[in-house]
Amino acid sequence: MKPFYLLPVFFATSIIATAQVEGGFSYSLTLPQHEMNQNIRPVHSMNIIFISQVKNISKLSWGIEAGFGQYASFTKDQDIRFPDGTGISTKVSYSSNIATGGILTRFSLFKEAKVNPYLTGKLGYASFFSKVVVADPEADDDCKPLDKKTPIHDHSFFASYGAGLKIDVSSKKKPKNAWIDVSVNQLHGTSLNYINVKDIKEHINNDPNNPVPVSEKSVPLSMRFVNVATQTIHEHQLAQIYSSPLRLLEVKIGVIWRLDNK
């Protein structure tokens, strides 16, 4: 995927080399849709954007946007027990994040206006990555985790479409140099794997003779623990990994400034 990560650098260089360059930051609240709504929480993200008008078409612009968000970050007490009743109570930390990047276009209703509606579309890449970390027990003779950290990573290519408002808040009439940017976008992507943080599993011992059911859409996320006294190793389910198409509704608000002096 290295060539993909070089694309934003190429497009950023192209934008900076053109006239009427704008850049800014935004916060977005992204709501999971369809199957994803049953499994993950809303995503809170910060984004950066660079955009430039297409030469000779003042209402049309293009640019790049990248963002980083999080839909889970918490620690909870878990009771890990072996079949004989021994075990530990320990803390398990869950962290799930999303990184996105893409190329976008905008078509504004007016060439210039105090409040200027626009339509927008974007093609991009989303990376979902999660981590489950089990804390060490307080006593040396307690059951111990053999896998202290389990990373989960997957990605999806996506297309999004939506509409927004660019509200002029410039300190001077000409040239316009600052705007509030508000938009709503629907995002559709390919299928990917991610942790279900709405239904964290507790105290599930994986019995080899009676394994946890596996389906096309979900598999258990298990980690290994060892009984220090008997050296017996068991697996315990700590979460569920789901697979579904990427479906998100993004609500975004930010600020854009004009970067060139023309």
Side-chain angles (χ1 to χ4, degrees), residues 175-205:
K176 306 294 186 183
N177 58 8
W179 299 265
I180 299 294
D181 191 35
V182 182
S183 65
V184 178
N185 300 277
Q186 182 69 55
L187 189 151
H188 293 258
T190 54
S191 293
L192 78 166
N193 298 321
Y194 53 90
I195 289 182
N196 176 359
V197 296
K198 280 191 173 181
D199 184 25
I200 296 298
K201 302 298 182 182
E202 294 190 49
H203 187 31
I204 297 180
N205 177 62

Side-chain angles (χ1 to χ4, degrees), residues 25 38 76 113 220 231:
F25 301 91
Q38 304 172 20
K76 65 182 301 181
Q231 292 300 301

Side-chain angles (χ1 to χ4, degrees), residues 216-233:
E216 293 183 358
K217 294 188 176 182
S218 70
V219 295
L221 172 63
S222 301
M223 298 179 72
R224 297 180 304 156
F225 292 79
V226 60
N227 186 318
V228 176
T230 64
Q231 292 300 301
T232 304
I233 296 176

Side-chain angles (χ1 to χ4, degrees), residues 19-50:
Q20 189 72 27
V21 180
E22 299 169 3
F25 301 91
S26 66
Y27 161 79
S28 60
L29 173 63
T30 305
L31 305 175
Q33 304 287 294
H34 302 286
E35 292 180 56
M36 295 193 79
N37 184 44
Q38 304 172 20
N39 304 320
I40 71 172
R41 301 172 178 176
V43 184
H44 300 273
S45 304
M46 293 301 297
N47 313 284
I48 184 171
I49 185 173
F50 293 97

Side-chain angles (χ1 to χ4, degrees), residues 58-61 105-120 162-168 179-183:
S58 59
K59 293 183 180 180
L60 184 64
S61 57
T105 61
R106 287 184 177 183
F107 184 81
S108 300
L109 185 60
F110 307 109
K111 181 178 180 180
E112 283 191 10
K114 187 69 176 179
V115 178
N116 199 352
Y118 63 82
L119 299 176
T120 182
L165 292 173
K166 194 175 178 184
I167 305 168
D168 180 23
W179 299 265
I180 299 294
D181 191 35
V182 182
S183 65

Side-chain angles (χ1 to χ4, degrees), residues 95 128-132 150-154 193-195 221 241:
S95 175
F128 278 58
F129 50 100
S130 298
K131 184 171 60 177
V132 179
T150 299
I152 300 95
H153 178 270
D154 205 356
N193 298 321
Y194 53 90
I195 289 182
L221 172 63
I241 300 176

Side-chain angles (χ1 to χ4, degrees), residues 47-84:
N47 313 284
I48 184 171
I49 185 173
F50 293 97
I51 195 165
S52 177
Q53 287 184 354
V54 175
K55 190 175 181 180
N56 299 326
I57 310 177
S58 59
K59 293 183 180 180
L60 184 64
S61 57
W62 70 282
I64 59 171
E65 187 174 32
F68 179 84
Q70 190 170 73
Y71 67 87
S73 179
F74 60 90
T75 299
K76 65 182 301 181
D77 293 324
Q78 294 261 30
D79 192 35
I80 308 297
R81 295 292 159 189
F82 286 83
D84 62 4

